[in-house]
Amino acid sequence: MIKRTSRTPRRTAGFTLVELLVVLAILGLLAGLVGPQVMKFLGSSKTKTAALQIEDLAATLDLYRLEIGHYPESLEALVSDPGNAPNWNGPYLRKGEVPKDPWGNDYEYRAPGQHGPVDIWSLGADGQEGGEGEDSDITSWSKSA
């Protein structure tokens, strides 16, 4: 039996250049529309995370005050004995270190506070006072105070 081979060229499976360009154009449009929304969501998540961390730090500082009798001079006293606190029973933070804000900066702390017994705040994404949006300060007190 003789096998005949066909001389007609076979069409190989794949995409044409036009099909690839159309897909890339659609992906570009989606990235242009969805990208800013995703970035806005990430920014608001960091702001909410900072607010929650400030609340946790305030609660931990209250525990410190109950045991020692006064608020510490710095947040470092929550993880290492300041030397002037005879009833120190720490570390008061689980990870053994003072957390940084979501942008990698230290939280600001003042005791006694100007807005309450203690003031805790983050300077936001820009690391400077004031700002709007993700750059705004996140504080342990209300903005109207």
Side-chain angles (χ1 to χ4, degrees), residues 28-44 134:
L29 285 171
L30 283 174
L33 295 173
V34 174
Q37 295 300 319
V38 169
M39 295 309 288
K40 186 170 97 176
F41 176 74
L42 288 176
S44 70
E134 195 176 344

Side-chain angles (χ1 to χ4, degrees), residues 70-120:
H70 58 84
Y71 288 105
E73 294 176 15
S74 74
L75 293 176
E76 282 300 316
L78 297 175
V79 293
S80 60
D81 189 348
N84 62 352
N87 296 332
W88 192 85
N89 194 22
Y92 293 89
L93 297 172
R94 284 188 186 157
K95 294 185 179 180
E97 63 183 20
V98 178
K100 295 202 177 284
D101 71 12
W103 300 278
N105 301 315
D106 291 330
Y107 282 101
E108 303 290 327
Y109 172 73
R110 179 175 41 228
Q114 295 177 350
H115 305 279
V118 295
D119 294 343
I120 311 166

Side-chain angles (χ1 to χ4, degrees):
M1 181 184 257
I2 299 175
K3 198 173 195 182
R4 293 182 110 185
T5 57
S6 141
R7 298 269 182 208
T8 60
R10 282 188 174 175
R11 187 160 190 207
T12 58
F15 298 105
T16 66
L17 182 59
V18 172
E19 290 170 329
L20 289 174
L21 289 174
V22 168
V23 169
L24 287 174
I26 291 171
L27 289 174
L29 285 171
L30 283 174
L33 295 173
V34 174
Q37 295 300 319
V38 169
M39 295 309 288
K40 186 170 97 176
F41 176 74
L42 288 176
S44 70
S45 294
K46 287 185 176 186
T47 301
K48 289 175 185 173
T49 299
L52 288 172
Q53 284 180 329
I54 286 172
E55 285 181 32
D56 287 345
L57 285 171
T60 304
L61 287 164
D62 287 340
L63 175 64
Y64 181 97
R65 185 184 61 84
L66 285 173
E67 288 190 358
I68 307 300
H70 58 84
Y71 288 105
E73 294 176 15
S74 74
L75 293 176
E76 282 300 316
L78 297 175
V79 293
S80 60
D81 189 348
N84 62 352
N87 296 332
W88 192 85
N89 194 22
Y92 293 89
L93 297 172
R94 284 188 186 157
K95 294 185 179 180
E97 63 183 20
V98 178
K100 295 202 177 284
D101 71 12
W103 300 278
N105 301 315
D106 291 330
Y107 282 101
E108 303 290 327
Y109 172 73
R110 179 175 41 228
Q114 295 177 350
H115 305 279
V118 295
D119 294 343
I120 311 166
W121 70 99
S122 167
L123 297 175
D126 62 355
Q128 299 177 12
E129 286 190 32
E132 293 185 19
E134 195 176 344
D135 292 338
S136 65
D137 300 347
I138 300 98
T139 65
S140 61
W141 63 91
S142 66
K143 298 289 184 188
S144 61

